[in-house]
Amino acid sequence: MNILIVNGPNLNFLGIREPDIYGKKSYNDLVNFLLSYGTTKMIEIEVYQSNSEGEIIDIIQSNYTRFDALIINPAAFTHYSYAIYDCIKSINIPAVEVHLSNVMDREDFRKISVIEPACLAKFYGKGFNSYIEAIEFIKEGSNIK
Ligand code: DQA
């Protein structure tokens, strides 16, 4: 099984941005954490990040056919990008939304996800482990044991 992971704007600033909310670990730490989890679970994982809405769409469109599932942390685009919603709706692999922080316990605008209806599930509030929950959810839903 293989999973495409796409991260949105400002996630490259992990460790720098609001460490009390997002933690002190860097974006590279996140990528290494995900890749090594994939290795232990025999799941092929590729991780991308972009600060641009169009680039996120290009990454998904040009790579999704090689993957069984998409995990996306659209960051702030979560709350208003109908273009990313349309992109996820237009691909025929399951998608799961993730967030590091507890988006339901912060500013009101973060409680709204326009991406959510295009996704099978949403995991949030567990830091890096939100991604692990998403990977495990995908694994459980597949026939691969
Ligand atoms: C985030 C939550 C978003 O509201 C925010 O804009 C982000 C990160 C998270 O992972 O907690 O940039 O997606």
Side-chain angles (χ1 to χ4, degrees):
M1 125 163 290
N2 49 34
I3 301 176
L4 171 65
I5 300 182
V6 179
N7 290 307
N10 300 303
L11 290 168
N12 58 316
F13 255 42
L14 285 182
I16 299 166
R17 69 182 296 207
E18 301 179 275
D20 40 326
I21 295 174
Y22 296 109
K24 289 187 178 132
K25 291 193 174 151
S26 69
Y27 182 70
N28 268 349
D29 292 336
L30 173 64
V31 173
N32 290 334
F33 173 79
L34 295 172
L35 295 182
S36 69
Y37 189 80
T39 306
T40 24
K41 298 283 170 168
M42 311 259 281
I43 301 166
E44 263 178 60
I45 289 176
E46 278 182 35
V47 190
Y48 294 83
Q49 190 275 333
S50 173
N51 290 329
S52 312
E53 186 179 30
E55 211 168 275
I56 288 169
I57 293 166
D58 290 341
I59 289 165
I60 295 169
Q61 287 185 351
S62 52
N63 290 290
Y64 82 94
T65 55
R66 296 187 293 114
F67 293 91
D68 299 311
L70 167 70
I71 291 175
I72 182 161
N73 182 348
F77 290 138
T78 305
H79 314 300
Y80 63 94
S81 176
Y82 294 105
I84 294 176
Y85 166 83
D86 279 347
C87 173
I88 298 170
K89 286 293 275 186
S90 67
I91 60 171
N92 60 356
I93 58 169
V96 175
E97 176 184 343
V98 301
H99 301 282
L100 296 156
S101 66
N102 184 351
V103 282
M104 301 314 279
D105 198 22
R106 297 180 62 193
E107 300 96 322
D108 280 348
F109 77 87
R110 294 188 204 276
K111 297 185 178 126
I112 294 158
S113 168
V114 302
I115 306 299
E116 192 171 346
C119 294
L120 284 185
K122 166 166 148 173
F123 297 97
Y124 58 91
K126 305 275 172 64
F128 288 5
N129 283 326
S130 300
Y131 291 80
I132 301 305
E133 290 185 350
I135 293 169
E136 288 302 317
F137 173 84
I138 290 164
K139 233 173 106 230
E140 277 160 30
S142 77
N143 293 322
I144 297 159
K145 297 280 178 252

